Amino acid sequence: MPVIGLIWFFVRHRASRPVQETEGIASHLRKALTVGGRRKGHVLPIDGVALGLMLAALGAAGPTWSRMPDPFVAQTAPLVVALKVTSSMTDDDLAPTRLERAKQKIRDLLELRAGGRTALIAYAGSAHSVVPMTEDPGVVRPYLQGLTPDVMPKDGADAAAALELARSTLAKENSLGGILFVADSVDTADVNALGNIEGTSLALLAMLPEGVNDQGMDRLSIPVVRVTPDDDDVHTLEGTLNAAYERALTEEGSQPWDDRGWMLGWPAALLGLLWFRHGWTMRWSFLLALCIGMMPSPPAHAEGIADWFLTLDQQGRLAYQRKDYDRAAELFADPMWKGEALYRDGQYSEAAKVFARLDTADAAFHAGMAHLRGREYREGIAAFETALERDPNFPGAAENLETAKEILDYVETSREQSDTGEESGEGADDIVLDNEDARGADTQIQSGDEGELLTADQWMNTVDTDPGDFLRQRFAIEDATRQ
């Protein structure tokens, strides 16, 4: 900037001097017989050039005030939803009932969070974990539907017990999280417990109709959002619960800054257009244009107007910001960005293949993440081991390797526990699901009446399972164990 300022000063000072002597011309003829005299406020070509260069210099410095989202870091905080399941929640003043409306709101929140880690707790006289932390909302929905007051082992509304269980669930996470209570009332004895909480975002969705208040809710110091017919309540809760998490991500500094220099590039380019105005063309601009014209041009590949102005990676970035990840994956030429777009689009296997082409620790780590999301645990373990071989101190690789091993061990242990000891020879097919260690019995699909194998759908339809019955038995066992 100082160099540009000095050049501007000397060039303008020289250009502002009178170029001809007018002392010998009569004063009443001088104005008509001279051109280009010194005038205050006269704009010169060097003014536009200097301003354009200054904008370009500022843009090259990379001004920024926000960070770019990392597709491998959840953009929503881990959340524990504590649902009150009592007889009062079956009142029909909120159609169809308070409980059913609460379930609907929870499903809407799961869709809004788009893969954020969520756990579900049910409480009445005691609190019970329904679903542990999961990124798959499809796991939560059937258990959510099975929650009714008759599955709870105790009457009451112990919000403090639900809070303690929710905090212990969040303690296992690596980042700040939030707790959402969905209830129609709060016992005044639990008000202090809900108000004295630090390091966790806490909010309550009040399942009450208009004009109905609750004394306990009125005393709460946490945000209380009343249920609405539309999605305003859900969006408000998402923003409230996610605020602390977003601040933590910014303060942590692990996300790259979003360079906004392009915003200064546009006015600099518009100022450049003044060079074509008569009297504004700089003497050396013709030489610059000639040099640019003599440079070898890249092979033409324009398929649309966007290709005239933007590279494929820039177009891919725009599609990525629009959350059109499938289109972004097609456009990106950079393999890391291409893999990230495929990952965000749910094409985990394809993303892992793209990452595998690179020989960096970062690529191997991202390949491991893609394998885990695709439930390819053995491949994920191998990818994390590769990342540690390339960089033993790569952040998160060792922790994720241990997590992947625990998941695989859990899968194999579950297979062992489900071994029924049935004899073979019942017409089983050759389907084996990730049993390389030969642990447990392979799942057998029995034949139909005519000796044909049952399809997967037909076999699943023969399983009579009610989530409500399962939860009732599990909650009763948990409550008896506690006592």
Side-chain angles (χ1 to χ4, degrees):
M1 296 291 287
V3 172
I4 295 172
L6 286 174
I7 294 175
W8 169 82
F9 175 78
F10 286 114
V11 173
R12 200 179 201 288
H13 180 70
R14 181 178 180 181
S16 299
R17 290 183 300 178
V19 297
Q20 56 186 339
E21 294 295 336
T22 59
E23 295 298 331
I25 303 177
S27 59
H28 64 285
L29 300 176
R30 188 178 301 156
K31 184 177 181 180
L33 295 177
T34 58
V35 294
R38 181 183 298 178
R39 290 181 297 172
K40 292 184 178 180
H42 184 59
V43 180
L44 299 179
I46 189 61
D47 299 332
V49 173
L51 182 57
L53 290 175
M54 287 182 178
L55 291 172
L58 289 174
T64 180
W65 54 86
S66 62
R67 295 185 180 270
M68 296 173 57
D70 187 345
F72 294 96
V73 175
Q75 299 306 308
T76 54
L79 177 65
V80 179
V81 179
L83 174 62
K84 182 183 177 184
V85 186
T86 62
S87 57
S88 66
M89 290 286 285
T90 60
D91 290 350
D92 57 1
D93 49 4
L94 283 178
T97 63
R98 295 179 180 180
L99 183 59
E100 291 304 318
R101 179 68 71 85
K103 294 178 181 179
Q104 175 194 346
K105 290 297 181 179
I106 294 174
R107 287 192 292 266
D108 293 342
L109 182 62
L110 291 174
E111 294 179 2
L112 179 63
R113 287 171 54 77
R117 291 177 60 77
T118 309
L120 178 62
I121 289 175
Y123 75 96
S126 57
H128 304 271
S129 175
V130 181
V131 179
M133 281 291 181
T134 178
E135 298 176 356
D136 186 0
V139 176
V140 181
R141 292 191 184 101
Y143 292 102
L144 179 65
Q145 190 60 35
L147 287 174
T148 56
D150 62 339
V151 306
M152 306 304 294
K154 281 184 177 181
D155 293 332
D158 194 347
L163 177 63
E164 187 63 28
L165 181 57
R167 295 184 69 177
S168 64
T169 302
L170 285 178
K172 302 174 184 177
E173 298 297 303
N174 296 325
S175 59
L176 293 175
I179 301 174
L180 172 63
F181 277 84
V182 184
D184 59 353
S185 64
V186 174
D187 195 314
T188 54
D190 295 327
V191 170
N192 290 335
L194 295 178
N196 298 326
I197 182 170
E198 297 179 358
T200 302
S201 300
L202 186 61
L204 185 143
L205 177 59
M207 304 307 300
L208 293 174
E210 286 293 333
V212 178
N213 296 319
D214 176 70
Q215 186 178 7
M217 290 184 181
D218 294 339
R219 295 182 180 180
L220 289 175
S221 58
I222 63 174
V224 177
V225 179
R226 277 188 171 269
V227 63
T228 61
D230 53 19
D231 293 336
D232 287 347
D233 49 359
V234 176
H235 286 277
T236 301
L237 289 169
E238 170 67 5
T240 301
L241 294 168
N242 217 39
Y245 180 69
E246 292 176 350
R247 287 196 301 269
L249 286 180
T250 303
E251 294 172 358
E252 181 185 359
S254 60
Q255 294 176 290
W257 288 101
D258 189 4
D259 190 342
R260 302 299 180 92
W262 61 270
M263 300 178 68
L264 298 173
W266 284 110
L270 292 175
L271 285 171
L273 294 178
L274 292 175
W275 284 5
F276 298 93
R277 185 175 182 271
H278 180 67
W280 276 66
T281 305
M282 305 295 289
R283 295 178 181 178
W284 45 268
S285 62
F286 175 75
L287 180 62
L288 177 63
L290 181 63
C291 294
I292 294 176
M294 294 177 62
M295 294 175 62
S297 59
H301 64 276
E303 299 179 357
I305 296 178
D307 292 329
W308 299 354
F309 305 99
L310 303 174
T311 66
L312 290 177
D313 282 335
Q314 290 170 335
Q315 296 178 52
R317 179 61 182 170
L318 293 176
Y320 187 93
Q321 291 176 335
R322 295 194 304 267
K323 297 186 178 181
D324 187 359
Y325 302 119
D326 185 37
R327 176 62 176 162
E330 295 178 2
L331 292 170
F332 276 127
D334 184 280
M336 282 299 295
W337 275 109
K338 186 179 186 71
E340 291 181 359
L342 289 168
Y343 181 93
R344 295 289 285 182
D345 194 48
Q347 303 181 48
Y348 304 121
S349 179
E350 295 300 321
K353 292 178 182 177
V354 173
F355 290 133
R357 300 173 190 168
L358 304 175
D359 57 356
T360 64
D362 190 25
F365 177 82
H366 288 168
M369 294 292 296
H371 283 306
L372 284 189
R373 293 298 298 270
R375 300 183 180 181
E376 300 170 345
Y377 304 118
R378 295 185 184 279
E379 292 81 355
I381 291 172
F384 289 129
E385 290 175 342
T386 301
L388 290 173
E389 290 175 2
R390 295 172 179 173
D391 183 359
N393 298 319
F394 192 88
E399 294 82 354
N400 284 353
L401 175 61
E402 293 302 318
T403 300
K405 289 181 177 179
E406 290 176 3
I407 294 174
L408 181 61
D409 183 68
Y410 175 79
V411 171
E412 298 296 356
T413 301
S414 298
R415 181 183 297 279
E416 288 178 340
Q417 294 175 349
S418 63
D419 187 352
T420 59
E422 293 178 355
E423 296 181 358
S424 59
E426 295 185 358
D429 61 8
D430 58 351
I431 295 177
V432 179
L433 302 177
D434 191 17
N435 194 21
E436 295 182 12
D437 294 338
R439 298 172 59 178
D442 294 335
T443 301
Q444 298 179 353
I445 302 180
Q446 298 181 353
S447 301
D449 296 337
E450 299 180 359
E452 297 181 357
L453 291 175
L454 296 176
T455 66
D457 290 339
Q458 291 172 336
W459 185 79
M460 288 298 294
N461 288 334
T462 64
V463 181
D464 185 12
T465 303
D466 184 355
D469 293 338
F470 167 74
L471 292 174
R472 181 187 298 105
Q473 296 176 10
R474 201 185 82 187
F475 292 171
I477 293 173
E478 290 177 356
D479 186 60
T481 303
R482 292 170 185 170
Q483 292 181 5

